[in-house]
Amino acid sequence: MRYIRPLSIEDAVGELAKAVGPAAILAGGSDLLVRMKGGFVEPELIVDIKRIGGLSDVTETAEGFRIGAAVPCAVLGENKALRKAWPGVVEAANLIGSKQVQGRCTITGNLCNASPAADSVPALVAAGAKAVVAGPSGKRTIAVETVPTGPGRTSLAKGEIVEAILLDKRPEHAGDAYLRFIPRTEMDIAVVSAGVNLTLDDKGAIKTARVALGAAAPTVLLVEEAGQVLVGSKLDEATMERLAKICSGACRPIDDKRGTIEFRRKVAGVLARRVAAIAYKRAGGK
């Protein structure tokens, strides 16, 4: 096994591209090291990206926020500007693991680990976040929901690295939120989760909306129909009922010891209603 700490994204990409055997990227290591210890993966090359300039920074620009791939989730929770603009994204990121894990885990790692139950991903999808991908052919920017393709699988090609997550600048009268259902009160994997991001017009009606569900299918679901049903409403009861029905129907969950298919579908609808109400209130809705 080789362990390297490149100083540039180009060097990291080059090492990954020419790797012959299995290679892994180390940011926080909260997933990778556990999987290595359990014998699930045995990479021949580990590329530690924490010394690459900019990858450990949260930068606010005129366009919004750029979150480097190596920024720990605990740092996101300490960033007042990010918390104010995107509270749903931050609260989702701060649910990953324990306090100790929070100091290491990253939302980029959470995305690229490609777990259907990842906490930060539904919030990122609802937020319309983008991933900046660096690879042998250059850089490209893609929607975060296109990165995971199935449990433990991503769309990233050999040598590619997600170097940052982009969040747009917040317009006025906008809000987002995230909730999950877990059997315990802390440190558990979501049985179902939901993220909602919306904006309001001057009269308090919803102008745009995105709804995402986690742990409800092989990948996080962007439920476009659910977002469409919210537009033009002020979350009256009829709209809420339609939202819950659409989200329940969109689920393609598994049936296991943590929750039945019927239960997960029911909870998806309940969470969608609750999260929409929180996001609406944060946007200034009454």
Side-chain angles (χ1 to χ4, degrees):
M1 181 185 294
R2 284 199 306 133
Y3 167 86
I4 61 172
R5 298 184 74 183
L7 300 179
S8 71
I9 195 72
E10 293 78 15
D11 287 346
V13 166
E15 290 289 345
L16 288 168
K18 68 183 182 183
V20 177
I25 298 167
L26 174 64
S30 56
D31 282 313
L32 175 62
L33 298 181
V34 172
R35 294 174 67 198
M36 288 173 61
K37 188 174 182 179
F40 299 107
V41 294
E42 293 183 9
E44 294 182 12
L45 172 67
I46 296 176
V47 180
D48 188 336
I49 62 173
K50 288 191 288 296
R51 292 185 66 188
I52 298 175
L55 265 61
S56 296
D57 300 329
V58 178
T59 308
E60 186 174 7
T61 67
E63 291 77 34
F65 292 88
R66 180 185 178 92
I67 303 170
V71 175
C73 289
V75 172
L76 302 183
E78 295 169 353
N79 190 300
K80 293 182 179 179
L82 184 62
R83 281 207 321 265
K84 182 178 179 181
W86 293 100
V89 171
V90 174
E91 64 194 6
N94 287 164
L95 285 173
I96 302 171
S98 64
K99 292 292 184 183
Q100 295 90 333
V101 171
Q102 280 285 305
R104 300 292 293 178
C105 65
T106 68
I107 57 173
T108 301
N110 200 223
L111 173 67
C112 295
N113 190 49
S115 167
D119 277 310
S120 68
V121 182
L124 289 171
V125 171
K130 302 289 191 297
V132 180
V133 180
S137 301
K139 295 186 180 182
R140 58 193 178 103
T141 302
I142 59 176
V144 291
E145 59 264 30
T146 65
V147 175
T149 58
R153 302 192 305 274
T154 73
S155 61
L156 300 177
K158 182 178 175 63
E160 287 191 323
I161 299 174
V162 174
E163 71 172 37
I165 299 295
L166 305 180
L167 290 166
D168 288 341
K169 183 177 180 180
R170 263 303 198 196
E172 295 229 345
H173 309 302
D176 71 323
Y178 172 82
L179 288 175
R180 67 178 182 178
F181 173 82
I182 57 175
R184 302 188 298 181
T185 57
E186 296 289 344
M187 291 179 60
D188 208 342
I189 300 170
V191 177
V192 186
S193 62
V196 172
N197 175 42
L198 46 81
T199 61
L200 310 183
D201 62 21
D202 293 336
K203 296 181 180 179
I206 296 173
K207 184 165 60 175
T208 64
R210 285 170 66 93
V211 179
L213 300 175
T219 60
V220 170
L221 294 174
L222 174 61
V223 189
E224 295 183 359
E225 187 181 356
Q228 292 166 2
V229 81
L230 293 177
V231 173
S233 79
K234 294 185 179 180
L235 296 189
D236 55 276
E237 183 58 28
T239 298
M240 289 293 232
E241 288 182 3
R242 290 178 64 195
L243 171 66
K245 184 176 181 180
I246 290 168
C247 287
S248 294
C251 293
R252 305 192 306 275
I254 59 172
D255 200 352
D256 64 12
K257 64 182 181 181
R258 303 180 67 248
T260 64
I261 291 174
E262 181 182 8
F263 177 77
R264 282 186 161 105
R265 284 178 174 160
K266 174 67 175 178
V267 173
V270 172
L271 288 181
R273 287 179 58 118
R274 293 178 181 176
V275 177
I278 296 170
Y280 185 71
K281 184 176 181 180
R282 286 175 174 172
K286 298 179 181 178

